[in-house]
Amino acid sequence: MKISKVSTQKKNKQRYNIFIDKNGHDVFAFGVHEDLLIRHHLRKGLELTEEEVTEIQKQDAIYQYYTLTINYLSYRMRAKSEIADYLKGKEATPEAIETVIHKLEEEKLVDDLQFSQAYVRTKMNTSSKGPNKIKQELILKKIPEVYIEEAMAEYTVEKEVEKIVKALEKKLSSTSRKKSFQQQLMQLKQSLMQKGFTQGAIEIASQEVDLSVDDDEEMDALRYQGEKIWSKHARKHEGFQLKQKVMGSLYQKGFSMDLINQFLEEKEEEG
């Protein structure tokens, strides 16, 4: 086929439309970026084979995917797997994806190790996530294990303990407590585990936090829980059996026997 016309695209001055002659008419054949136009010396009168056109179109598609990815990278760093998924969404072929990622790696625009290190620093400094949670997120991004381990080294036990201490102090200083101190502490530890903090660091942090119990606050919480439990069991039980039911329930909720007995004495005086 012979090129009959070359024109600049209206919406993108760096792209050109290539036309071929068919029965005396200029018929659009394909579009190319300016770089490929120059590289392949595309001009009016040039003869192209079907194979040459196919190769030019393949190179142009890769060029467009590359340009899209550069824009995608302009917002933040990306893992290779994120770029691959992004390009799949743009219907890029596996070959095109591999070519684009290889080019980006050569240009130092994509680096899974640097991405991992930046990811760990950001999550460590701006989120409430522990190291196990962050590590799992990197695994889901298909980061090589050796890179993950190197990046996670920055999230030291000391930094982990520091974050846990702050979390414990903030939560345990709540003035509107309606649960026993022990129950609240246990739930806090479970929450920290779910956020990815290690059990070892949680125990170390617990040793650094003031875990003394304010008896007045504890008694207020016990009365709140005790009244609900008393009302529930009073429908079916009375006397010694009722006290045993209430005592067992409050003890399971982490209250001390001294405070439980004080509450039961108060209920007995009321009766």
Side-chain angles (χ1 to χ4, degrees):
M1 63 178 70
K2 180 184 290 187
I3 297 176
S4 62
K5 180 183 174 182
V6 177
S7 66
T8 307
Q9 292 184 1
K10 293 180 179 179
K11 293 184 178 180
N12 188 342
K13 299 301 181 182
Q14 290 185 313
R15 291 190 61 79
Y16 290 80
N17 293 325
I18 307 299
F19 296 84
I20 59 172
D21 178 71
K22 279 194 176 180
N23 301 320
H25 296 283
D26 294 328
V27 178
F28 175 78
F30 55 89
V32 294
H33 191 272
E34 183 178 44
D35 289 354
L36 293 175
L37 182 85
I38 295 170
R39 188 187 307 168
H40 292 279
H41 307 289
L42 301 179
R43 63 193 183 279
K44 182 177 180 179
L46 179 68
E47 289 277 0
L48 293 171
T49 66
E50 292 288 344
E51 290 77 13
E52 287 174 327
V53 171
T54 299
E55 179 60 26
I56 291 170
Q57 289 178 312
K58 185 168 69 173
Q59 291 178 18
D60 187 64
I62 290 172
Y63 199 98
Q64 290 187 69
Y65 290 134
Y66 172 80
T67 303
L68 286 170
T69 307
I70 291 296
N71 182 64
Y72 182 59
L73 285 167
S74 68
Y75 297 98
R76 65 169 176 83
M77 293 178 71
R78 309 281 181 177
K80 285 199 296 185
S81 65
E82 290 180 311
I83 293 172
D85 290 341
Y86 172 75
L87 291 175
K88 284 177 187 175
K90 299 296 181 181
E91 301 183 348
T93 65
E95 181 185 359
I97 293 171
E98 184 179 350
T99 301
V100 170
I101 291 178
H102 180 68
K103 181 176 175 63
L104 292 169
E105 285 182 312
E106 286 186 331
E107 296 171 348
K108 308 298 182 184
L109 296 175
V110 173
D111 185 314
D112 271 358
L113 175 57
Q114 288 185 7
F115 169 84
S116 302
Q117 292 170 327
Y119 190 88
V120 171
R121 282 195 299 271
T122 300
K123 294 296 181 180
M124 181 176 63
N125 295 325
T126 64
S127 78
S128 60
K129 295 177 181 179
N132 287 343
K133 189 79 169 179
I134 296 173
K135 183 176 181 178
Q136 185 61 36
E137 290 175 354
L138 289 174
I139 290 172
L140 291 175
K141 291 181 183 296
K142 301 176 183 177
I143 303 296
E145 185 177 351
V146 63
Y147 290 170
I148 293 176
E149 294 304 320
E150 187 170 343
M152 290 307 304
E154 188 159 346
Y155 205 145
T156 63
V157 174
E158 289 77 18
K159 290 179 180 178
E160 186 183 0
V161 169
E162 182 182 344
K163 287 178 74 72
I164 296 170
V165 166
K166 288 180 180 178
L168 289 173
E169 289 177 340
K170 180 180 179 181
K171 294 293 184 181
L172 294 175
S173 64
S174 172
T175 54
S176 57
R177 185 157 55 83
K178 294 181 178 180
K179 296 177 181 178
S180 72
F181 185 86
Q182 288 303 317
Q183 187 177 36
Q184 186 182 21
L185 180 61
M186 181 183 68
Q187 290 177 341
L188 274 173
K189 288 182 177 181
Q190 289 175 342
S191 175
L192 288 165
M193 290 282 286
Q194 291 171 353
K195 288 180 178 180
F197 291 97
T198 63
Q199 188 170 0
I202 292 172
E203 294 309 316
I204 293 171
S206 298
Q207 302 299 316
E208 297 183 12
V209 176
D210 180 9
L211 297 181
S212 58
V213 181
D214 184 301
D215 286 342
D216 290 335
E217 288 184 4
E218 190 79 348
M219 193 62 202
D220 287 342
L222 187 149
R223 290 191 182 104
Y224 175 82
Q225 296 290 339
E227 291 294 345
K228 292 198 301 181
I229 295 169
W230 186 277
S231 297
K232 175 184 175 182
H233 290 292
R235 300 169 192 157
K236 298 180 180 179
H237 307 284
E238 59 182 18
F240 178 76
Q241 194 175 23
L242 173 58
K243 288 182 179 180
Q244 288 297 105
K245 289 286 185 181
V246 174
M247 181 184 294
S249 296
L250 288 173
Y251 188 74
Q252 287 180 343
K253 290 182 178 292
F255 293 104
S256 71
M257 286 305 301
D258 286 344
L259 293 182
I260 293 173
N261 286 327
Q262 183 180 329
F263 172 74
L264 292 175
E265 287 172 6
E266 290 175 0
K267 296 302 292 183
E268 189 172 336
E269 290 173 4
E270 287 177 8

